[in-house]
Amino acid sequence: MALLFKSVVVIWVLFCAHLVFGQDMVSALSQEQQESQQQQHQSNQASQDTTEVEPDLSPVQMLKKTLYDIYQGLIEHLPYLGAGLLVIIITWLISSLAGRAVSKVAHSRKLRRSLCELFSRLTIIVVWIVGLLVAAMIMFPGLTPAKALGGLGLASVAIGFAFKEIFENFFAGILLLWKYPFESGDFIECQSILGRVEDISVRMTQIRKTNGELVVMPNSFLFKNPVNVLTDKDVRRITVMTGVAYDEDADKAIEIIEGALQKCETVDHDHPVEIFLNGFGASSIDIEVTWWTSPTPLGHRKSRSEVISAVKRALDEAGVEIPFPYRTLTFKEPLPIERLSENAQNS
């Protein structure tokens, strides 16, 4: 903002200086325009005379003459530059107002947040393109809209090849804002990167990992790779495995585990708790316990911890054994066993 106001002040000072000190030059220019047809022949002769005189000028005099011509051309072109910069400033103001207006209208229509941001940014981009074209035509009077659009088309091809990745991320960002199901604030996982989406721009997406690190990810990377949206719904399912000894009643253990989950606060009771016998383990009957809870990583960890603690406590209170791994050793030949005396053990 400070730089913008400084630029405005500099442009205004230069423009005023031109008005104060350049009146004679402006009147001279107007007289030359009125008498241009009468002085064409004289100007051609003057140009021939200068070509004959220029070789007699010293290098220092030629340098002074060149610098004076550049200065005079700059002073003559200064009003066009000031008007062009003024158009750019007006474009900045209009783009800000238009972006806010479009955002308010989109929010009033209850559109998704990403769509509101997309419409606002596209409006700003369109206003800036039109404003820059108008400013260019003002700064360069010989530039017509057809020439400007033609030059813009040629420049876009060259810029497209030079900044391929940037434009790829730009269009990927537009598609992300337009049709992808995650918003700012959602937790996503992509290629082992798990975190909360803080901001989605037209070029990159900022993801805050669960350990506090900030990852700036190009939009093309998200667009090309599978993305797991963890908070797409209000709940997420969790599954843990437990087990009971072979000599225990498995059906009774299932009832005990189900009762323990009913008392857990982090378990979503609007969805059913699913408990199944999963298979024969190495030392236990495996039991699969599934329930629904908060979709965030923190809620996921809290619920898992609470459920495991509740299941362990309930099985211990009911006297149901959760066995340690048992190992059975088989020897090919009989293993002799000798009992040592107490003296041998002490020695």
Side-chain angles (χ1 to χ4, degrees), residues 116-137:
C116 297
E117 294 180 358
L118 176 61
F119 292 150
S120 176
R121 290 173 182 176
L122 289 178
T123 302
I124 292 174
I125 291 173
V126 171
V127 172
W128 269 108
I129 291 175
V130 175
L132 291 176
L133 287 176
V134 174
M137 288 186 291

Side-chain angles (χ1 to χ4, degrees), residues 263 312-320:
K263 300 177 182 179
K312 174 67 167 59
R313 188 185 310 110
L315 292 177
D316 289 343
E317 292 176 354
V320 178

Side-chain angles (χ1 to χ4, degrees), residues 137-152:
M137 288 186 291
I138 292 176
M139 290 182 179
F140 306 100
L143 185 64
T144 62
K147 293 180 180 179
L149 293 176
L152 182 63

Side-chain angles (χ1 to χ4, degrees), residues 90-103:
I90 295 174
T91 301
W92 175 70
L93 295 175
I94 294 176
S95 64
S96 300
L97 296 176
R100 293 177 184 176
V102 171
S103 179

